[in-house]
Amino acid sequence: MKAMTLLDSRALPPQPLPAPVSAALAAAFPSSGRGELTGRLEARVREIAFPRHHSQAEANGRAAAIVTRWLSFLPFVKNLDGHGNILAGTREGLANPAFLLVSHYDSVAASPGADDNGAPLAAMTEAAAALAKSFPGMPLLCLATNREEEGLLGSDKFVRRQIGELGLKIGEAHVLEMIGYRSFEPGSQRYPEGFPSAGLPDCGDFIALIGNPKAEAALRRVVSCPEPYRDIPAIGLIIGDDAGALPADIFRSDHVPFWDKGYGAVQWTDTAYYRNPNYHAATDTPDTLDYGFLASVTNLIAVAGAEFWFRMVTMRDDDSTSKRNAESFH
């Protein structure tokens, strides 16, 4: 597979959602409730927007307690040994290939981390709540990692040790990393040096998704999602096996340990410092974010989860039918 494949929602024909998925999502995210979702997201970001680096023990622990409380609507919440990872989910998520949402809760020491990474934590919580309510029986997991800002220590430990220790099966991982900043100003979007950006927007109004080959189908489904479920532009980047010449900035977040171990994983990002001037700064505050944009991304995360569950149910039903047919034949 070539080093990378670019997908642009503006150039892809929309792919209709399966009717059960669209009906469930319409109920989970009614247009009349958009303002309430936006308000909840903002309230969550404001609650957790304080410096919370691992070295700031009290603040880091307070952030962990906040996230644990946010995820307490799920049947289980577990603080994992080691770096401070928090795992929550459905009972089915412990026993079956799971739809996994990942977001780190630490920040750098000098920053309140509203976008990095408060906005993704808020979106993870709201998307998971909608999925758990709309799709009973869905194998769903949420992972809030710690020490992402120290060389991905939390996610690395989860992938290398804790998945095996807990006997988990990861069907699809979606890593949320800075997803709350948008700009409509021309020239507000930059790209890494050497990145083939010809034809891509110079306006930072889109969500970017970066996936490995095992996550290609999931990524394509999100980028080609039809309106009104996708009401913002989406740019997808599929990283192939021959990726050595690509910019190093593509490999700087919690998706990398999943890729290294062969799991299908997608990173969701507003592209960090290639768009957001407040990256790792004291100015990364709640007032700088676009909560309408964050709500749109949250909806799309739920779309990804709903499609994952629909495919699982369909395959399960197909297997049952095949077994019944085989038994009838004999």
Side-chain angles (χ1 to χ4, degrees), residues 113-259:
D115 197 21
D116 189 14
N117 212 35
L121 289 165
M124 178 174 74
T125 302
E126 293 294 334
L131 289 169
K133 181 178 180 180
S134 300
F135 302 98
M138 178 177 178
L140 171 66
L141 295 174
C142 292
L143 175 70
T145 64
N146 198 17
R147 308 188 76 172
E148 189 271 352
E149 302 291 0
E150 300 173 80
L152 318 179
L153 290 179
S155 59
D156 185 72
K157 182 167 186 177
F158 179 77
V159 172
R160 291 183 182 276
R161 292 187 54 187
Q162 292 169 339
I163 289 177
E165 291 170 353
L166 296 167
L168 302 177
K169 303 176 182 69
I170 308 303
E172 201 171 280
H174 291 261
V175 179
L176 315 179
E177 172 66 40
M178 298 186 67
I179 55 173
Y181 189 89
R182 172 168 61 174
S183 175
F184 295 105
E185 292 295 324
S188 59
Q189 183 64 55
R190 298 178 298 111
Y191 297 91
E193 184 176 353
F195 185 84
S197 58
L200 291 179
D202 73 342
C203 174
D205 65 345
F206 60 88
I207 186 66
L209 296 95
I210 307 172
N212 59 349
K214 285 190 176 180
E216 178 174 353
L219 190 153
R220 285 184 179 274
R221 281 189 291 271
V222 173
V223 176
S224 62
C225 178
E227 296 181 352
Y229 307 101
R230 183 189 54 76
D231 59 358
I232 54 174
I235 302 293
L237 177 63
I238 302 163
I239 303 297
D241 298 325
D242 183 20
L246 294 178
D249 286 343
I250 292 174
F251 307 95
R252 286 190 56 191
S253 190
D254 280 336
H255 59 292
V256 174
F258 290 92
W259 287 4

Side-chain angles (χ1 to χ4, degrees), residues 58-126:
E58 187 278 332
N60 187 258
R62 181 156 51 101
I66 290 171
V67 174
T68 299
R69 172 167 48 81
W70 286 0
L71 296 175
S72 63
F73 65 89
L74 290 165
F76 79 88
V77 182
K78 182 177 179 64
N79 293 296
L80 304 182
D81 294 335
H83 294 308
N85 292 339
I86 302 163
L87 183 68
T90 61
R91 299 297 176 188
E92 294 82 1
L94 293 174
N96 301 281
F99 181 79
L100 172 66
L101 294 174
V102 183
S103 182
H104 72 88
Y105 67 84
D106 58 321
S107 74
V108 295
S111 175
D115 197 21
D116 189 14
N117 212 35
L121 289 165
M124 178 174 74
T125 302
E126 293 294 334

